[in-house]
Amino acid sequence: MRLADLTREIEAATSSLTVADLAARLHASPATVDAMLTALRAAGRLAPDGGGRRAPATGDGCAAAGSCTGSCPGPDRCPFTVELVTGFRIRPTGRST
Amino acid sequence: MSPVIAIAGCPNAGKTTLFNRLTGASHTVANWPGHTVDRHEGAFSVAGRDFRAVDLPGTYGLVAVSAEESIATGFLCRERPAVVVTVIDATNLCAGLHFVAQIAEAGLRQVVALNMSDVADRRRIAIDAEVLATRLGVDVVRTVARRGEGIDELQRVIAAAASSPTPAPLVLDYGPVVERHLGGLVETAVSHPAVLQVGPSRWIMLQLLAGDEQATEAVAAIPGGDEVLEAAGATRHQVAAELGFDVETALAERRFEQVTKLLDEVSGPPGSEPTWRDRIDRVLTHQAWGLPVFLAMMWVVLRVTADVTAPFLDWIDATISGPVSHWAAALLQAVSLDGTWVEGLVIDGVIAGVGGVLVFVPVLFGLYLMLALLEDSGYMARAAAVMDRAMRAVGIPGKAFLPLMVGFGCTVPAIAATRTLDSPRDRLLTGLLTPFMSCGARLPVYVLLAGVFFTGKHSTVVFAMYLLGIAVAVLIGLLLSKTVLREREPAPFVMILPEFRLPSGRTVWALVTQRTWAFVKGAGTVILAASVAVWFLLAIPLGSGGGSFGDTDVEHSAFGGISKAVAPVLAPAGFGDWEQSGSLLTGFVAKEVVVSTMTQLYTTVDTTQAPAGSFGDDLRQIGSGFVTATADTLRALPGVVGLDSVDVHDDTSTGLQSAIRSSFDRSSGGHAALAGFAFLVFVLLYTPCMATVAAFRHEFGTRWMWVSVVGQFAVAWLGAFLVFQGGRLLGFG
C-alpha cells in the first residue's frame, strides 16, 4: 500500500474516518496506517483541524466571562475544558508555486 | 553574541519540560498537543560559555500547515540557529524521525534528545541509539526531561555541536522521476546565487516542490526569484503528470520508505497485528455498535449519578433542614430577631432556597466524576468519533458533538466552545442546538421530580431526559440544515484518537472539584440572590386583603400574582398551577432555581417544631449520617451494573414531595405523573438561563438570540403539550 492510496481513500470519504476505519478499508494494520498518516503530516499533506485539550474559548475572551457564577480562572484552569479529537484534513496540492 | 539553540520537535514530545530543565525556566507544561503557541526564550551556560535557548511550538515537519507551525518553521529556516535540539518522544519514534530527517536535509546542526526514554523502556520499546546516531550522522542523547535525567550530557553535547563545522545536508533518494527533475531545478538555483542565502539549494528546491509557503515567499523576495518559482511550478506539473499523483505525496512516499527502513534498523518493524487497544477501538468506534456502546456508557453515568449518590443527597438534606436550620434559628433568637420577617428571610428564603439546591451537590459531583473518568481515559474522544458519523448523517457538523458534550456540564461555556468550529453556519447551528443538551443545572430538577413521580424508575426517567435532549437537538438540526441553514458538502476528515490510558487521579480530581465548585459558587451567588428576590416577592402582599409584609398568604403575594398571570399559558400542558408557573419563571435566572423556588413555595421549615438537640448532638447526627450515607452508597454500587443491590432509597415521601404531588394532581385533573413528565420535558427544552442568553447574544448577535429564546419556548411548550395531551389520549398517567 502506498501513501497515494491512503490520500485517495481519505479524499473519497464522505464521513470522518478513524485509523481503525482506514486500516479496515485498506487491509493494513492500524500501526502501518498510523505511520503513513505521520508521514503525510510531516510532509504537510495533512493539515490539523482542531484537537487537544482546550478551554471552551480562547483568543478574544470567553463568552462565559462574567456569567460563570464567579470569577473566571482563565483558560488553563477553566473547569469546562474538553478533550477535542485531533483531526486532520487533506491539504490541497499546488498551493504556492 | 550567544549562540542560539532551538528546541524543536513534534507536538507533545516534552520540549517545554526539556527547555525548563536546560534553562531553569518554569513555563507551564501541558500534557496535550498545541499548548506552546508562541516561542519562549531562556539562557544557559556550559563551561563558562553562554547559550540562548528558544523553545518552539511543536511541528511535524518543515512545511508549516498552521500558525503555530509557521512560528517554528519560520524560526528554524530563517534564523538558522547554531544548533537544533530535536526532541523526540521515544514512544513515537516514527514521527520524530521524519522531523530529524527534514532538519538534516536543511543542513542544520542537530542534536537529538531521545526523550521519555523511561516510558519507552517500560513499554519495552527497544531503541538502538548508536545505530540511530550513526545512520543520521547526529549525536543522540537519552533524556527523561521530567526527572532531569540526561540534561547535563545534553548540555555538553550541545556545546560541542555548536563549535563543530556545519554538516553537509542529508541527501534522501526521491526516486528516478523526482531526482531527474530535481537536478535541473538545483542547476537553476545555483545560477541564482541569492537563492543560496535562503538555504542549501537542493533543500530549497524540495521545499518549493512540497509547496512550502515560507520558502516560496523567501525565494520570491530575492532577485530572480520569479524565474526559480516558475521553474519549480513547471516541474511540479511535469512530475505529477509522470507519476500520476501529486508531487507532495511523492516526496512524502519516498521519505516514508527511507524513514521506515531506518526505523526497522533502530527499533524493529511496526506490529502487523492489531493490539488490544486497536481491538477495543474497533468495537467502541464501530459504525453499528459504537452508538449503543455510547448509550450504555451514558446509562451507567446517569445510574451512578442518580442512584449511587442518592444517600449523600438525603444526608445533606437532613443536615440543612436539621442542624443548619437549628443553628440559624438559635442565632436569630440570640440576637432577638426570632419571630420577625428577618427570620422568615433567613429560614424560608436563604436556607430553604440555597439549601434546596446545595442538596444536589453529590449528584453533580457524581456526574462530573463519571464524565471526568471517561474524558481522561480517552473514551470521550471515541464517543466524539461515533457521534461525528451519526450527526453528519443528518446534516449536523460532526465536530458539533464536542461543544454539545460541554453542554452536559454547563451551556454557557458550551456556547463559547462553538468557536472551535470553522464555519459561521456550523457555529450558529451548533449554538442553537447546544441548549437542548441537559446541563448540570437541570439535573436537580430531574432528580427531584423523578423522585416524586417515578420512584424506583427515577434513573430511567433522568436518562430519558438526556436522550430526549439529544433527539430533539438532532431533529431541530435536521430541520435547520434543510431550511434556513442549508448544509454544505462535508470535507473528509481523519480523526487521530488519543491512546487509552488509566485516568490520572490528579487530573480527574481537578476536573471534578473545579466543576463542582463552580456549581457551589452558583448557589452562593446567583441562587442566593434569586432566593432572596423570590422571598421578598412572596413577602409583599398583593391587594388590601393580602396581609402585611412578611406575614402574607403566599398565594396572594406579589410573586403569586405574577405567577398566576403566566399560569394559563401552561395549563394545556398539565402544569397550570401558579406554584409551577412561578418556579419555571425563576428558572430563567438559572435552571436549578426551579428547585429552590419549589422548596420555598411548597415547604416551610418550622424550626419551632423541630427537636432542638445540643450542638454536640447535631454534630453527632451529621457524622453518623455521613457514615450511613457512605455505607448505603457502597451497597448501591452493584445495582449500577445490574447486580442485586440493597435498595437504599427512602420510599417515605417528604413534605416537599407530597406537596409537589398534590399540586400536580390538582393542576392535571388527576394525571399527576403525566403532568410531572410534561413538566420535565418543558424544563429540558424551554428558554435557557439568562447567562446562556447573554453568551448567545455575545456570540451570535441579538437577532439569533431572540430566535433561540422564542424558538425554544415554543418547542418546549409544544413538547410538553404533546406529552400531556397525547398521554391522556393514550390512557397514560
Side-chain angles (χ1 to χ4, degrees):
Chain A
M1 187 181 62
R2 298 184 315 167
L3 292 187
D5 301 326
L6 184 62
T7 55
R8 269 196 285 271
E9 193 66 44
I10 297 168
E11 282 171 327
T14 52
S15 70
S16 52
L17 298 161
T18 62
V19 172
D21 294 331
L22 285 166
R25 289 180 187 203
L26 295 165
H27 307 291
S29 75
T32 303
V33 171
D34 202 34
M36 295 176 89
L37 289 172
T38 299
L40 290 173
R41 274 187 290 180
R45 260 320 250 130
L46 286 175
D49 188 38
R53 181 165 222 122
R54 300 270 174 90
T58 51
D60 61 337
C62 175
S67 53
C68 253
T69 57
S71 57
C72 171
D76 282 348
R77 291 181 60 81
C78 173
F80 294 100
T81 52
V82 62
E83 179 92 42
L84 302 182
V85 177
T86 309
F88 291 90
R89 286 185 198 286
I90 289 285
R91 202 161 165 245
T93 56
R95 294 171 299 278
S96 300
T97 50
Chain B
M1 199 169 156
S2 307
V4 175
I5 311 299
I7 315 295
C10 298
N12 218 19
K15 294 180 296 300
T16 302
T17 309
L18 190 128
F19 171 83
N20 286 344
R21 286 286 181 184
L22 273 179
T23 62
S26 55
H27 288 290
T28 315
V29 177
N31 67 343
W32 62 86
H35 181 258
T36 307
V37 293
D38 205 350
R39 66 191 207 200
H40 301 136
E41 297 201 13
F44 66 94
S45 300
V46 183
R49 193 176 174 200
D50 295 333
F51 295 93
R52 187 162 70 92
V54 180
D55 178 26
L56 297 172
T59 175
Y60 291 98
L62 290 183
V63 179
V65 291
S66 69
E68 294 103 280
E69 289 192 1
S70 294
I71 292 170
T73 57
F75 185 84
L76 292 169
C77 300
R78 278 197 301 271
E79 306 284 328
R80 297 192 73 81
V83 178
V84 178
V85 177
T86 300
V87 186
I88 292 183
D89 174 358
T91 65
N92 189 8
L93 200 55
C94 177
L97 289 185
H98 280 282
F99 189 82
V100 171
Q102 291 188 56
I103 294 290
E105 280 187 293
L108 291 162
R109 282 193 204 94
Q110 180 172 214
V111 170
V112 172
L114 200 56
N115 199 29
M116 304 189 206
S117 300
D118 56 335
V119 182
D121 289 344
R122 276 205 301 276
R123 295 188 190 174
R124 299 183 183 179
I125 300 171
I127 299 171
D128 192 330
E130 279 182 30
V131 171
L132 188 62
T134 309
R135 293 281 281 106
L136 291 169
V138 297
D139 287 308
V140 178
V141 180
R142 284 179 181 273
T143 59
V144 183
R146 196 167 43 84
R147 295 203 300 252
E149 290 176 17
I151 301 299
D152 290 343
E153 189 192 345
L154 182 64
Q155 286 184 335
R156 280 195 298 275
V157 171
I158 290 170
S163 308
S164 64
T166 306
L170 175 72
V171 176
L172 294 179
D173 177 9
Y174 285 101
V177 175
V178 172
E179 289 293 343
R180 191 173 68 246
H181 290 282
L182 193 57
L185 270 183
V186 170
E187 283 175 22
T188 308
V190 172
S191 67
H192 294 79
V195 172
L196 303 180
Q197 291 168 8
V198 180
S201 55
R202 180 182 166 89
W203 174 73
I204 281 290
M205 290 302 125
L206 283 168
Q207 290 296 99
L208 293 182
L209 286 180
D212 178 34
E213 287 168 10
Q214 290 184 338
T216 305
E217 283 170 21
V219 171
I222 60 175
D226 289 349
E227 196 183 322
V228 176
L229 292 179
E230 202 176 310
T235 303
R236 288 172 57 89
H237 290 298
Q238 287 167 358
V239 171
E242 286 184 44
L243 291 174
F245 53 90
D246 61 278
V247 68
E248 288 97 328
T249 305
L251 296 177
E253 187 92 58
R254 295 295 294 192
R255 194 181 293 126
F256 173 65
E257 286 172 14
Q258 288 163 87
V259 166
T260 304
K261 196 175 161 200
L262 175 60
L263 197 61
D264 291 354
E265 287 178 43
V266 172
S267 187
S272 56
E273 290 298 313
T275 64
W276 65 268
R277 287 188 171 95
D278 296 330
R279 291 195 177 95
I280 291 175
D281 262 351
R282 287 292 295 275
V283 175
L284 295 184
T285 63
H286 192 273
Q287 303 218 347
W289 311 321
L291 201 55
V293 170
F294 170 67
L295 294 177
M297 288 282 189
M298 289 307 288
W299 165 248
V300 171
V301 166
L302 292 169
R303 282 295 301 270
V304 169
T305 300
D307 287 5
V308 178
T309 62
F312 283 103
L313 190 148
D314 294 338
W315 170 65
I316 294 183
D317 188 24
T319 302
I320 290 173
S321 61
V324 172
S325 296
H326 296 158
W327 297 337
L331 200 64
L332 290 167
Q333 197 174 16
V335 294
S336 304
L337 283 172
D338 54 320
T340 66
W341 65 266
V342 177
E343 187 184 51
L345 173 64
V346 173
I347 304 292
D348 300 333
V350 174
I351 293 182
V354 176
V357 173
L358 283 180
V359 159
F360 294 94
V361 166
V363 178
L364 269 296
F365 186 90
L367 176 71
Y368 293 146
L369 174 66
M370 294 304 290
L371 290 181
L373 286 171
L374 292 181
E375 275 179 57
D376 206 45
S377 66
Y379 176 72
M380 275 305 184
R382 270 90 189 155
V386 170
M387 293 303 287
D388 179 274
R389 286 197 209 102
M391 293 170 79
R392 275 171 187 260
V394 292
I396 303 170
K399 284 170 76 182
F401 176 69
L402 297 158
L404 297 182
M405 283 304 299
V406 178
F408 285 132
C410 177
T411 313
V412 178
I415 294 285
T418 58
R419 290 183 190 181
T420 54
L421 302 169
D422 307 320
S423 114
R425 174 262 182 198
D426 289 354
R427 288 188 57 218
L428 176 59
L429 179 58
T430 309
L432 288 167
L433 303 182
T434 300
F436 291 113
M437 297 298 107
S438 281
C439 66
R442 290 172 178 130
L443 191 57
V445 189
Y446 299 160
V447 173
L448 175 66
L449 290 192
V452 171
F453 297 111
F454 307 100
T455 313
K457 292 189 174 63
H458 58 286
S459 51
T460 309
V461 171
V462 174
F463 183 57
M465 286 298 117
Y466 277 76
L467 286 189
L468 184 64
I470 296 171
V472 171
V474 168
L475 280 176
I476 301 280
L478 189 59
L479 186 71
L480 289 173
S481 66
K482 299 293 178 203
T483 53
V484 288
L485 297 170
R486 282 185 199 284
E487 67 178 302
R488 60 188 176 135
E489 197 62 36
F493 181 66
V494 181
M495 290 182 284
I496 308 291
L497 303 176
E499 278 200 3
F500 273 118
R501 55 184 179 257
L502 209 60
S504 146
R506 186 182 293 181
T507 306
V508 169
W509 182 251
L511 284 173
V512 173
T513 51
Q514 286 168 15
R515 289 173 183 178
T516 307
W517 182 239
F519 180 79
V520 173
K521 276 198 293 186
T525 53
V526 178
I527 296 158
L528 174 64
S531 300
V532 170
V534 168
W535 185 87
F536 270 102
L537 287 172
L538 284 167
I540 298 169
L542 203 64
S544 54
S548 59
F549 179 78
D551 185 25
T552 180
D553 177 5
V554 288
E555 192 175 349
H556 299 105
S557 65
F559 187 84
I562 297 167
S563 304
K564 279 180 187 167
V566 178
V569 178
L570 303 171
F575 40 91
D577 260 15
W578 70 271
E579 292 99 328
Q580 297 150 3
S581 60
S583 303
L584 291 172
L585 267 180
T586 58
F588 178 66
V589 176
K591 288 290 179 277
E592 58 269 52
V593 176
V594 171
V595 170
S596 67
T597 307
M598 282 187 156
T599 313
Q600 286 177 276
L601 294 178
Y602 289 119
T603 59
T604 306
V605 180
D606 189 352
T607 52
T608 58
Q609 296 300 313
S614 67
F615 186 70
D617 290 341
D618 285 341
L619 288 182
R620 269 190 292 279
Q621 183 190 331
I622 293 171
S624 65
F626 180 80
V627 172
T628 308
T630 307
D632 285 348
T633 296
L634 294 175
R635 287 156 63 204
L637 275 175
V640 174
V641 288
L643 301 175
D644 283 343
S645 66
V646 178
D647 186 6
V648 295
H649 299 296
D650 185 0
D651 289 334
T652 313
S653 291
T654 63
L656 174 64
Q657 288 176 321
S658 301
I660 291 173
R661 177 172 278 283
S662 302
S663 171
F664 276 81
D665 235 352
R666 205 167 46 242
S667 66
S668 63
H671 302 280
L674 198 54
F677 192 74
F679 187 89
L680 287 177
V681 170
F682 191 84
V683 169
L684 163 70
L685 303 176
Y686 88 118
T687 307
C689 68
M690 62 185 186
T692 301
V693 172
F696 202 94
R697 182 169 174 271
H698 182 272
E699 293 294 301
F700 304 110
T702 306
R703 181 170 152 245
W704 283 108
M705 177 197 81
W706 282 113
V707 169
S708 172
V709 168
V710 176
Q712 277 196 242
F713 183 85
V715 169
W717 189 91
L718 190 63
F721 174 80
L722 289 175
V723 165
F724 182 67
Q725 298 296 348
R728 279 181 65 190
L729 283 174
L730 294 172
F732 294 126

